[in-house]
Amino acid sequence: MLDRKVLKNIPNEPGVYIFKDKNSKPIYIGKAKKLKNRLSSYFNKSNQEKNEKVEKIVSEAEFLDYIVVRNEDESLILESNLIFTHKPKYNILLKDTRVYPYIAITKEEYPQIKLVRTKKGENAHFYGPYSNVGMVRGIIEIIQWVYKVRTCERKLDRKSKPCFLFHLGKCFAPCYVDVDKKEYKKAIGKVKRFLKGNIKSIRNYIEESMQQYAKILNFEKAAQLRDLLFKLDRLFVPIGVEMIHNKNIDIIAKDEEYPIVVLLIIRQGYLISKLTFTIDDDINEFIHQYYLIRKNIIPDEIWIKDYDTIDDEIIHYLNKNGLKAIKDLKIENEELYTITNRNLKEEVKKQTDLGNILKQAKEILSLRKIPYRIEGIDISHLQGIYTVASLITFENGKPKKEDYRRYRLDEFKEPNDFESIRTVIRRRYTKHPLPDLLFIDGGKGQVNAAVEALKEIGFNDVDVVGIAKEDERIVFPGNIEDLHLPLDHPVLRMLIFMRDETHRFAITFNRKLRAKRFEKSRLDDIPGIGPKRKKELINHFGSLDEIAKATWEEINEVIKNEKVAKKIKEFFD
């Protein structure tokens, strides 16, 4: 755990700070107008109580690094680049509800076009993300028909036999014949314009070609092009709003109650993609993560539901990188506002209407019965102290908050999640009936600990599952293999919803407990120290140990009374 002393030589200038673990791996990267002021807030005990992430960062970090820059713009860009490169675990707030694919055009003499699921490790230009893999494959098929760009991984340093795409007239085949580089480059340019949203040009080309083949009575070829045109129209839905036909627009809306964001990507009057994300922060953090960190294409305009809440520095960055305007969605177009809200409501319903998926959960998780009653357990502590447990209850797929319970585990002075879970299980189920399904916030070890405790008190036939947080993998006890479900699968969404609820409930209790305990401390024994000064000192220094290390001058800066400051220093000395 970092000591407050690390702040001593940090300058109060613009820059980026990097918290690192014991292996010097970044766990959190942030930016600041004034580095020292911003970093001081991490060691403020009240901030740690209010913000679980701050608490975890300081407790896990072993090193603190920083980079001074000239201004806020530089700090924003450097922060985004570092997060994109290192992907620290406490910076990854934006979660796709599914893995959205991209189209990549490689950077080589004869570029290849291909479907990719991540930008990592590819030396290419990226387009997307798109709604699903099927859509990407359809787009690539159209590109093959019209532009004949290669899709294979063949090496081009020597010639080889062509594949069937060459014989079908769908590939230039630079692996087989000498292809004019200028002609190939021209085709790549057209592909890029198409992927940027110029759908009308390719549609017109297919229509004209279809008519020409029909005129010369080549009805087979005309029919193939007709089918291709139908495919194009199924992939790209025209939006009937005249004012957007020549614009590239991203429309963003975040639900007010749930952490769900819908993004509609509109290019030249066509809906290219509908994407859904979850994010445990505000709309500014979504924009920061989606455009700056993930480096997705910045459109001509962004229309947004929460227009008034966007930070100036983010708008300034986007404007410098191609954004022409950011607008209030509701004022700009009532029709698109309605469409966006309808999509947002559908996503919220899909992710939170849990009652309909209980039968599906029984089958997929191989449960003994339909889990009409589910109880979830989570453990929370601060480096082993103030250990608490939360137990939440879902009935018929919905939270039953009157049955939520909290447990204090004062006997634990060091981190021990497994024994904490065993203790809660013994306390709970020696007095209360078992649920249809017991959910544990944790991995294989935590789930096994729960099963062991249930067996100790005489229950051998209880369904228990957990979620491994690093990759949202469903885990079972014993030797049963883990289950990977798509991120948008309703059963997984139900368990994630429960996990987040147990976690929220445990953390809230943990913070309340710590706040009460901070009211009583060794400071009570010092004359002249009342609740207000005690709170000021704890909030500023973070702990009694840090107060003991401080000089009387540093203490006086907080309480503004030299006489009492000297008494405090004498007391600790």
Side-chain angles (χ1 to χ4, degrees):
M1 183 174 180
L2 281 175
D3 192 288
R4 193 182 184 89
K5 290 178 181 177
V6 297
L7 302 175
K8 186 176 180 181
N9 296 317
I10 292 176
N12 232 357
E13 296 179 35
V16 172
Y17 54 92
I18 308 165
F19 285 98
K20 298 180 179 180
D21 63 15
K22 60 184 179 182
N23 299 315
S24 292
K25 181 181 178 181
I27 60 171
Y28 184 74
I29 297 170
K31 60 177 174 55
K33 295 178 184 177
K34 296 183 177 181
L35 280 168
K36 190 162 192 171
N37 287 354
R38 180 72 184 92
L39 286 166
S40 296
S41 70
Y42 282 85
F43 295 87
N44 185 317
K45 208 66 183 178
S46 64
N47 282 346
Q48 293 180 9
E49 289 175 24
K50 293 174 189 173
N51 191 322
E52 178 202 356
K53 187 171 79 171
V54 169
E55 174 187 283
K56 286 188 171 183
I57 290 168
V58 175
S59 63
E60 290 185 29
E62 295 288 341
F63 306 100
L64 176 61
D65 199 0
Y66 63 91
I67 302 169
V68 176
V69 296
R70 291 174 297 182
N71 52 53
E72 291 177 55
D73 279 357
E74 286 187 358
S75 67
L76 180 66
I77 294 167
L78 178 59
E79 177 206 32
S80 302
N81 289 338
L82 289 173
I83 292 172
F84 179 79
T85 302
H86 297 289
K87 294 180 173 54
K89 64 178 180 179
Y90 290 121
N91 284 106
I92 309 303
L93 295 172
L94 183 63
K95 300 173 185 176
D96 311 60
T97 57
R98 68 190 73 181
V99 178
Y100 293 117
Y102 292 82
I103 290 176
I105 298 179
T106 59
K107 297 177 181 178
E108 49 190 321
E109 190 174 34
Y110 292 100
Q112 170 200 355
I113 184 168
K114 59 182 177 178
L115 181 157
V116 295
R117 298 176 189 273
T118 175
K119 295 180 180 181
K120 192 174 181 181
E122 295 282 352
N123 183 25
H125 299 285
F126 296 95
Y127 299 87
Y130 294 94
S131 300
N132 54 62
V133 169
M135 182 179 189
V136 170
R137 287 181 176 143
I139 293 170
I140 291 176
E141 183 184 345
I142 290 169
I143 290 170
Q144 285 176 319
W145 264 95
V146 178
Y147 299 119
K148 304 179 182 179
V149 172
R150 74 185 185 99
T151 57
C152 68
E153 301 275 354
R154 288 188 179 188
K155 301 294 183 184
L156 303 182
D157 51 355
R158 59 181 180 179
K159 299 301 179 185
S160 58
K161 288 183 179 180
C163 66
F164 71 97
L165 290 173
F166 173 73
H167 297 295
L168 292 174
K170 293 183 180 181
C171 183
F172 278 111
C175 61
Y176 175 60
V177 296
D178 293 325
V179 177
D180 187 293
K181 291 179 184 177
K182 288 183 179 179
E183 186 181 356
Y184 197 91
K185 187 177 180 181
K186 187 178 178 181
I188 288 291
K190 289 178 180 179
V191 171
K192 288 179 178 178
R193 286 193 290 276
F194 167 52
L195 295 177
K196 287 178 181 177
N198 190 0
I199 295 160
K200 287 181 182 177
S201 64
I202 196 170
R203 198 181 192 288
N204 292 339
Y205 174 83
I206 296 171
E207 277 186 333
E208 290 169 5
S209 299
M210 182 176 65
Q211 291 166 6
Q212 287 171 5
Y213 279 112
K215 283 179 182 178
I216 63 173
L217 306 182
N218 189 341
F219 297 118
E220 183 182 351
K221 192 73 173 178
Q224 290 175 342
L225 290 169
R226 178 203 59 202
D227 293 343
L228 195 64
L229 198 60
F230 288 158
K231 182 182 286 288
L232 183 71
D233 289 341
R234 286 196 302 270
L235 292 172
F236 301 110
V237 180
I239 301 292
V241 180
E242 186 63 34
M243 63 186 295
I244 66 171
H245 284 179
N246 295 314
K247 294 179 180 178
N248 293 338
I249 301 170
D250 284 0
I251 297 178
I252 303 170
K254 183 178 184 296
D255 188 76
E256 294 176 1
E257 184 178 358
Y258 296 98
I260 297 170
V261 178
V262 164
L263 170 64
L264 302 181
I265 300 177
I266 297 174
R267 298 293 180 262
Q268 310 277 320
Y270 288 87
L271 178 62
I272 302 294
S273 296
K274 187 198 84 170
L275 312 176
T276 310
F277 304 88
T278 60
I279 184 165
D280 301 321
D281 214 313
D282 63 15
I283 199 70
N284 281 292
E285 190 58 38
F286 171 80
I287 292 173
H288 182 235
Q289 294 260 341
Y290 184 78
Y291 294 108
L292 278 70
I293 294 173
R294 295 194 177 189
K295 302 184 185 301
N296 286 310
I297 294 171
I298 297 173
D300 300 332
E301 296 182 5
I302 294 175
W303 295 2
I304 195 160
K305 189 179 175 184
D306 306 292
Y307 172 77
D308 295 333
T309 62
I310 309 304
D311 290 345
D312 289 340
E313 63 176 5
I314 289 179
I315 294 174
H316 182 60
Y317 171 86
L318 294 173
N319 286 339
K320 283 179 65 177
N321 288 273
L323 184 73
K324 294 175 182 175
I326 186 163
K327 297 179 179 179
D328 187 323
L329 171 60
K330 189 172 185 179
I331 293 174
E332 202 62 28
N333 190 275
E334 188 71 31
E335 183 182 346
L336 284 173
Y337 177 79
T338 303
I339 291 171
T340 306
N341 268 342
R342 191 182 304 144
N343 278 281
L344 183 59
K345 286 177 182 177
E346 283 300 315
E347 288 299 327
V348 170
K349 182 180 177 182
K350 189 189 298 182
Q351 295 188 39
T352 59
D353 184 12
L354 306 176
N356 296 326
I357 62 169
L358 296 178
K359 291 180 181 179
Q360 195 176 355
K362 177 183 181 298
E363 299 302 321
I364 288 176
L365 303 178
S366 300
L367 306 179
R368 292 174 177 84
K369 52 187 173 181
I370 295 172
Y372 291 116
R373 184 177 176 95
I374 308 174
E375 292 182 358
I377 294 174
D378 183 32
I379 305 296
S380 176
H381 56 72
L382 175 60
Q383 292 190 311
I385 61 172
Y386 310 122
T387 301
V388 299
S390 69
L391 182 139
I392 66 157
T393 302
F394 274 45
E395 279 196 357
N396 296 317
K398 295 181 180 179
K400 190 179 181 184
K401 295 195 175 182
E402 61 267 32
D403 285 359
Y404 284 19
R405 295 293 181 269
R406 288 164 167 158
Y407 296 86
R408 287 175 57 165
L409 303 173
D410 295 334
E411 59 267 43
F412 294 100
K413 306 302 179 187
E414 294 181 357
N416 193 333
D417 283 357
F418 299 155
E419 192 55 43
S420 297
I421 287 172
R422 292 188 189 99
T423 301
V424 174
I425 295 286
R426 288 191 289 263
R427 280 198 209 173
R428 174 72 180 175
Y429 298 113
T430 51
K431 299 178 181 178
H432 299 276
L434 289 165
D436 300 320
L437 174 64
L438 180 60
F439 171 77
I440 304 295
D441 183 6
K444 181 77 80 174
Q446 285 87 344
V447 169
N448 284 334
V451 171
E452 289 165 11
L454 287 166
K455 287 180 179 178
E456 286 176 24
I457 57 177
F459 297 108
N460 295 314
D461 299 320
V462 185
D463 287 316
V464 184
V465 299
I467 289 186
K469 187 174 286 187
E470 61 271 13
D471 58 358
E472 310 291 27
R473 184 175 70 255
I474 300 174
V475 298
F476 303 90
N479 297 321
I480 302 173
E481 287 188 14
D482 299 344
L483 176 63
H484 289 270
L485 291 176
L487 286 174
D488 61 341
H489 195 287
V491 171
L492 180 60
R493 299 312 306 174
M494 177 183 73
L495 295 178
I496 288 173
F497 187 44
M498 288 200 69
R499 189 266 312 282
D500 293 344
E501 183 68 356
T502 59
H503 194 57
R504 177 197 66 77
F505 195 53
I507 288 296
T508 303
F509 184 39
N510 184 289
R511 288 173 185 158
K512 286 182 179 178
L513 190 61
R514 276 182 282 153
K516 286 181 181 178
R517 291 187 177 183
F518 272 127
E519 292 296 318
K520 294 182 178 181
S521 73
R522 285 161 59 202
L523 294 175
D524 291 329
D525 299 329
I526 307 172
I529 293 292
K532 184 179 178 182
R533 282 177 174 166
K534 182 170 57 178
K535 188 175 181 180
E536 287 174 346
L537 287 166
I538 290 293
N539 284 345
H540 182 81
F541 290 103
S543 68
L544 294 176
D545 288 339
E546 293 301 319
I547 297 172
K549 294 174 187 175
T551 64
W552 75 265
E553 291 91 349
E554 289 172 330
I555 296 170
N556 184 47
E557 285 181 14
V558 178
I559 63 172
K560 312 298 182 188
N561 187 312
E562 288 188 16
K563 186 177 179 181
V564 175
K566 289 178 179 177
K567 278 186 178 181
I568 294 170
K569 187 59 185 172
E570 288 171 7
F571 175 82
F572 281 107
D573 287 344

